Amino acid sequence: MAYSLKESVAKEARFVSGHRMCAGCGAPPAIRNVLNALKEEDNAVISCATGCLEVSSCIYPYTSWNKVSFIHTAFECAAATLSGAEKTYYNLKKAGKIKKTTKFIAIGGDGGTLDIGLQSLSGAMERGHDITYVCYDNGAYMNTGTQRSSSTPHFADTTTSPAGKVSPGKAQKRKDLTEIMVKHNIPYVAQTALFGNLQDIYTKSEKAIYTEGPTFLAVFSPCPRG
Amino acid sequence: MAIRERLSGNEAVATAMKQINPDTVAAYPITPSTEVPQYFSNFVANGDVKTEFIAVESEHSAMSACIGASAAGGRVMSATSSQGLAYMFEMLYVAAGLRLPITLICGNRALSAPLNIHNDHSDSMGVRDAGFIQLYCENNQEAYDNTIMAVKIAEKANLPVMVCYDGFITSHSVENIMLLETEEVQKFVGERKPTQYLLDDERNISMGPMDLQKYYFEHRKQLADAMRGAKTIIEEVSEEFYKLTGRKYELFENYKMDDADLGIVVLNSTAGTAKDAVDELRRNGIKAGLIKPRTFRPLPYKEIPEKLKNLKALAILDKCDSVNGYAAPLFTELTSAMYSSGLTVPTVDYIYGLGGVDVKVDDIIQIYKKLNEIAKTGNVEKTTYYLGMEN
């Protein structure tokens, strides 16, 4: 379907206000725009890695996840958790226990995706689950206070790769996860950023969510604290 | 009609899983439980089950996928051992904290280092506080029966259940066992009817939130209460199983304890060996008895001490070590329970068979001999012994 800004903003948001993310954080609008690509009649299960987004969007007894079901288990296993839910969907559907079409979306930051969650992500992608993994990448472990990740750019000054008298900052170059995902031979891999072009994130999200099989979407996103 | 079969412990458990026909199984191979997912994969490949099998890339992902699957509303099972269970550690707490009725098969094996593939209970004892119900099995029949009961117990208690049996000794030994008809198993376990699940068409939910202090404490208390309440559920399910099969299961097995002077408490396959020792001693006029806990979680903290009160000496056998400079878990927890019941029977801890060291009838008789000495004086000179390495 051709993209229409007017139609997309008229849809009911699946990620709503009331969360406790920082003012100026890129993650909430990024995720709201990714989920905006869901068809209104479709259900979705969101599996979220531990991180800012999780601890700020689902503080008991509140949730910012609207008209989707949400699960958080731990830091490194958003993809594995989702793969269990996705496989179970087929049996419940076959048994007639559920009727709606459900889409499966995992979300992690760069720490939960490029580093500690890489094995879980790689495994889920290789097994061919019909899921979309969305990495909102702000280039460091921002939740714990701007420590370096493998997505942190070369020479960046972080709290665990500080620039000092003898070090210019992070000594290593950035890991290219998008390229690693391409090498998994999955049907769709994309990267985008939220700002300046809402059509781009919408169309890539739509393609990622509605392409059969495992798909990966990197969304570059700023952190006001890093 | 019951079916007479001869199966290894792993085959028996895989057969139970086939008859249960869960929605989802996620597992990663590890000796000695590897055969369980392996046999099960064949059932999937041949269309004997409807199950979606997820051949995950690690045990951490196995338990994560089980959590996702169970949260989604499915009936879910997995199997592991040793390092695999240790690798799952983080997710076991999540499974229990989310109150998900996952059945996890544990073929008990030693933990590294040094690397060892043989049996002891370091793995399941290492995760004893995760919030899983733990059922311990003496032989293949018990492994089969407990696997079937575990599913029902888990779903009634909203708690995950671990079915533990000895690696190689039970997992790979072939024994004659009685199987139920698949239809009987299906009828016994029924259908899982989750009240809150991710895939519910009618209602979206959020699971696994962050809890601030007050809610966290409340939720952990609810988990603790569920474990306390699980005792009754286990008894009810076991009673129902008894009516179906004639095989009686309680929280623990009481073997010739009623008039015993000398007692041993021991888990799993060694209980079989120890029963032979009890019989031999009884033939010689020594009043020996034995208790074999079936549930370590929940701990029968009132029921077991009640059976120990007339003893003159007691040995608690641990096939693992706490490396705490004192004693091992079964001993420390049961002696604590005895203290709470006002019981002061002279008691020693025997750590035995680590890494699969064979334990024979004679070894157990040596323990009873030691108890006989203790009973004469009433004095415990030393609390913890390493069986076969010191006297």
Side-chain angles (χ1 to χ4, degrees), chain A residues 43 54 58-60 63 67-72 76-77 80-81 84 87-88 91 97-100 119 127, chain B residues 23-24 50 52 55 57-58 60 64-65 68-69 90 191 198-199 201 204-211 215:
Chain A
N43 196 7
E54 184 274 322
C58 190
I59 303 176
Y60 189 84
T63 185
K67 298 208 166 168
V68 294
S69 279
F70 171 87
I71 182 166
H72 156 256
E76 67 276 53
C77 49
T81 302
K87 282 292 180 192
T88 302
N91 260 328
K97 292 178 183 172
I98 49 171
K99 301 210 162 44
K100 276 187 187 169
Q119 174 182 313
R127 291 192 299 272
Chain B
D23 293 301
T24 312
K50 63 165 188 210
E52 294 280 350
E57 84 297 333
S58 71
H60 193 285
S64 301
E90 178 188 29
E191 209 176 291
L198 296 173
L199 291 172
D201 275 344
N204 284 121
I205 58 166
S206 287
M207 291 184 76
M210 182 174 80
D211 269 14
Y215 287 121

Side-chain angles (χ1 to χ4, degrees), chain B residues 228-296:
Chain B
R228 284 191 179 87
K231 233 182 242 183
T232 312
I233 292 170
I234 294 166
E235 284 170 337
E236 285 166 5
V237 171
S238 306
E239 181 61 24
E240 205 183 318
F241 192 80
Y242 170 66
K243 282 180 186 151
L244 177 66
T245 63
R247 294 193 287 276
K248 197 160 187 66
Y249 288 88
E250 294 174 295
L251 299 176
F252 59 93
E253 185 185 338
N254 167 11
Y255 189 74
K256 302 189 179 174
M257 279 298 282
D258 292 342
D259 65 339
D261 294 327
L262 311 176
I264 276 184
V265 181
V266 63
L267 295 167
N268 278 12
S269 66
T270 309
T273 311
K275 285 175 192 170
D276 282 354
V278 168
D279 292 346
E280 196 176 321
L281 290 165
R282 290 244 165 203
R283 279 195 293 273
N284 296 324
I286 297 165
K287 287 182 178 174
L290 175 145
I291 280 181
K292 180 189 74 181
R294 173 180 173 226
T295 64
F296 182 66

Side-chain angles (χ1 to χ4, degrees), chain A residues 96-157:
Chain A
K97 292 178 183 172
I98 49 171
K99 301 210 162 44
K100 276 187 187 169
T101 297
T102 300
K103 305 309 293 182
F104 295 86
I105 302 167
I107 303 171
D110 47 299
T113 308
L114 282 85
D115 293 340
I116 198 168
L118 183 63
Q119 174 182 313
S120 165
L121 169 63
S122 176
M125 294 286 127
E126 183 272 333
R127 291 192 299 272
H129 296 280
D130 189 10
I131 63 174
T132 297
Y133 193 103
V134 179
C135 173
Y136 77 96
D137 183 347
N138 48 26
Y141 300 137
M142 300 308 190
N143 185 44
T144 43
T146 321
Q147 291 85 28
R148 55 101 67 198
S149 78
S150 61
S151 183
T152 302
H154 202 186
F155 299 125
D157 179 12

